[in-house]
Amino acid sequence: MSSACAANGSVGRPAEAAAVAQGSSLSRDFAMAHSIASAVDDLGGRTFFVGGCVRDRLMGWAPKDLDIEVHGVSPSQLKQLLWGFGHCSERGAGFGILALDGYGLDIAQPRRESATGLRHQDLDVVVDPFIGTRAAALRRDFTINALMEDVLTGEIVDHFGGREDLSRGMLRHVDSVTFAEDPLRVLRGAQFAARFGFEIAPLTRDLCRGVDLSFLSPERVLGELEKALLSAGHPSVFFEELASMDQLGVWFPELAALRGVPQPPEHHPEGDVWAHTMLVLDQAACLRDGASWPLAFMMSALAHDFGKASTTTERDGHLHAYGHEEAGVPVAHRFVRRLTRERKLAAYVENMVLLHMRPNALVARNSRARSFSHLFDESVAPSDLLLLAKADHLGRTGAAAGGYDEIERSLADRLVAFEQLMALPYVAGSDLIAAGLVPGPSFSQVLDYAHKLRLAGIPKDEALRQTLGFARSLK
């Protein structure tokens, strides 16, 4: 692994102080949780913080949201109680999760679940507030997420050794039967390992190998991928873990195809294309906060060398991957579209894959300003493209990754010059119409010509004269 940015963390703080630090919304949720817990206590029940908020508090992190679970009162009692605090509604059809308008607090009761099919929604769910804390926690995925904290007393209820696993940095499943009922838990385990730097227990990893991921929805897969790409200091761990479980093939076959694809050792001493991609991904994680679209940027880093799987050949004892940028575009398209129908995301990634080699290559050739202007003009996000070029260069080992400072300064200067050029007055469609040109079939061709003059740095008055001349030549 590379020496990429460490995962974010914070000094340990009590849950309430952490909630206040997150802002007024979470502070209000925390106060409401206490109010609900007090009312439940009056009825003889107990209320617990559950899931990630307990785990995060024990890890010293401020929770992002709060979930509570109410025991010992009937569903009708709970709803009546909640209506005393405001408008009560139900979230998550079929799962009995309640909410109060104006609060981000998820309010649930213990439930029994059994799989009736292979999809996530194929579950038979029965709310049972009286099954006890152990049975309620049994349906959780990992022991570190099965921890419960009494809202009023702060008592930690830990039936499955979650606190010990937290201290050991271990991801261990709670129950082998309930764990496999939701295939998403395989991806959750991988993204937790990437985000927290935890190790997946051998028995849990073995269990993950036998889970069928093909029935997951693209939306759920993308959700876990997004957490790994945007929240982990080393996103590569997510994919390394999936590879160790033999779970790349269903959702990430393009990545699986990179394993074992050789690279010239003089340029890539780190090894095959897979190893390089993982290093680039971790380098990109250090740069993602500076990107205009962090998720698309990280997906571009992941996909940038997809084309090498089909273009890598050996000639005269030397390895080459000529044209891998162009070959990677349709592969990247399939990869993104498998996960989402968001066209702008696919277009961004395809554009970055196509252009990722050119910034550094232009510097190496000492190309003229016009070449850089055309590159930046073709790019959907020029500043992001330079970040990807940097990650690509640094995603290697040894001397091959060194000496980028001068290249980076040169590219930054070229981008500033391009932005200054684009800020100058230029010939627009309205200028052509004002000069007497009537829009027609060739109007877009004339606009393209005007744009080329703009990229060449031709002053507006002269560019207008030349463009009108070009328009007349088309008649």
Side-chain angles (χ1 to χ4, degrees):
M1 292 298 102
S2 68
S3 57
C5 309
N8 292 330
S10 59
V11 178
R13 292 180 289 182
E16 186 168 12
V20 172
Q22 286 290 297
S24 59
S25 177
L26 194 56
S27 178
R28 290 178 69 249
D29 291 345
F30 193 92
M32 177 54 70
H34 271 265
S35 297
I36 294 171
S38 294
V40 168
D41 184 66
D42 290 341
L43 295 175
R46 292 181 73 185
T47 304
F48 299 91
F49 290 119
V50 293
C53 65
V54 182
R55 176 200 67 216
D56 290 349
R57 201 273 294 176
L58 292 175
M59 292 176 70
W61 297 356
K64 294 181 179 179
D65 48 38
L66 295 178
D67 298 336
I68 60 173
E69 191 170 79
V70 178
H71 291 240
V73 299
S74 69
S76 59
Q77 283 180 302
L78 177 60
K79 288 181 180 179
Q80 183 178 4
L81 180 155
L82 292 176
W83 275 104
F85 292 104
H87 184 273
C88 175
S89 59
E90 188 167 347
R91 294 178 184 168
F95 292 98
I97 300 173
L98 304 174
L100 289 170
D101 283 3
Y103 295 87
L105 190 65
D106 277 357
I107 307 159
Q109 291 193 280
R111 59 184 188 257
R112 300 181 187 272
E113 298 175 356
S114 59
T116 60
L118 295 172
R119 299 170 302 170
H120 175 57
Q121 59 266 41
D122 295 333
L123 288 174
D124 183 23
V125 179
V126 178
V127 175
D128 187 347
F130 305 100
I131 60 175
T133 55
R134 189 182 191 284
L138 189 66
R139 66 182 177 82
R140 300 282 174 178
D141 49 11
F142 300 99
T143 62
I144 64 171
N145 293 332
L147 295 162
M148 308 171 73
E149 179 182 356
D150 189 296
V151 172
L152 297 180
T153 68
E155 175 193 354
I156 299 295
V157 178
D158 179 13
H159 291 290
F160 303 105
R163 295 192 78 166
E164 182 181 355
D165 285 341
L166 269 181
S167 65
R168 295 165 58 206
M170 182 67 67
L171 287 166
R172 186 165 52 86
H173 65 280
V174 172
D175 180 82
S176 59
V177 175
T178 60
F179 182 89
E181 288 178 349
D182 184 0
L184 191 73
R185 290 173 168 181
V186 175
L187 300 179
R188 280 171 60 82
Q191 66 97 345
F192 284 146
R195 285 171 54 204
F196 304 151
F198 280 17
E199 179 184 352
I200 298 177
L203 289 179
T204 301
R205 184 178 283 108
D206 289 343
L207 181 62
C208 289
R209 286 193 182 97
V211 177
D212 184 359
L213 305 187
S214 61
F215 291 92
L216 287 172
S217 69
E219 295 78 13
R220 299 187 81 210
V221 175
L222 182 61
E224 298 306 309
L225 175 63
E226 185 171 352
K227 292 172 187 175
L229 293 179
L230 299 185
S231 299
H234 292 82
S236 62
V237 173
F238 176 77
F239 300 100
E240 296 282 10
E241 289 291 356
L242 291 180
S244 76
M245 303 168 187
D246 298 324
Q247 288 287 18
L248 285 174
V250 174
W251 290 99
F252 308 106
E254 297 82 6
L255 275 171
L258 302 182
R259 294 170 68 84
V261 177
Q263 299 185 111
E266 64 272 20
H267 299 301
H268 291 281
E270 68 277 2
D272 62 12
V273 182
W274 166 270
H276 169 65
T277 299
M278 295 298 101
L279 290 170
V280 171
L281 194 62
D282 287 347
Q283 290 293 338
C286 295
L287 306 171
R288 64 192 170 207
D289 289 346
S292 63
W293 192 351
L295 176 60
F297 170 71
M298 292 300 294
M299 291 184 73
S300 299
L302 190 63
H304 81 285
D305 272 351
F306 278 174
K308 285 185 176 179
S310 63
T311 60
T312 298
T313 58
E314 185 175 345
R315 297 181 186 176
D316 301 324
H318 296 284
L319 290 166
H320 302 282
Y322 296 131
H324 75 273
E325 309 97 303
E326 293 84 356
V329 171
V331 186
H333 177 83
R334 289 194 299 271
F335 166 69
V336 176
R337 297 290 277 180
R338 183 182 302 115
L339 297 168
T340 176
R341 292 298 170 185
E342 189 171 352
R343 293 182 179 180
K344 288 184 178 180
L345 179 58
Y348 176 110
V349 174
E350 292 166 38
N351 180 264
M352 295 280 274
V353 168
L354 179 65
L355 302 180
H356 76 273
M357 294 281 290
R358 285 174 56 184
N360 294 342
L362 290 179
V363 172
R365 293 198 295 265
N366 196 27
S367 299
R368 294 187 300 171
R370 183 177 298 186
S371 297
F372 286 94
S373 293
H374 280 282
L375 169 63
F376 295 142
D377 184 61
E378 188 178 350
S379 173
V380 296
S383 60
D384 293 4
L385 178 62
L386 298 192
L387 294 178
L388 180 59
K390 180 178 181 179
D392 190 20
H393 180 93
L394 297 179
R396 296 180 285 180
T397 57
Y404 196 73
D405 289 349
E406 187 174 344
I407 299 173
E408 185 174 20
R409 283 193 295 269
S410 178
L411 287 170
D413 290 344
R414 295 295 192 178
L415 181 56
V416 168
F418 171 74
E419 291 170 342
Q420 291 173 342
L421 178 65
M422 291 296 100
L424 295 175
Y426 64 96
V427 176
S430 57
D431 297 311
L432 298 175
I433 294 172
L437 198 64
V438 179
S442 62
F443 197 70
S444 61
Q445 189 178 354
V446 176
L447 283 174
D448 287 342
Y449 184 85
H451 188 66
K452 290 178 181 177
L453 296 178
R454 181 187 184 190
L455 291 176
I458 305 300
K460 181 177 179 178
D461 289 345
E462 176 60 20
L464 179 59
R465 187 188 67 78
Q466 292 187 32
T467 302
L468 292 173
F470 174 75
R472 288 191 292 270
S473 72
L474 295 178
K475 295 180 179 180

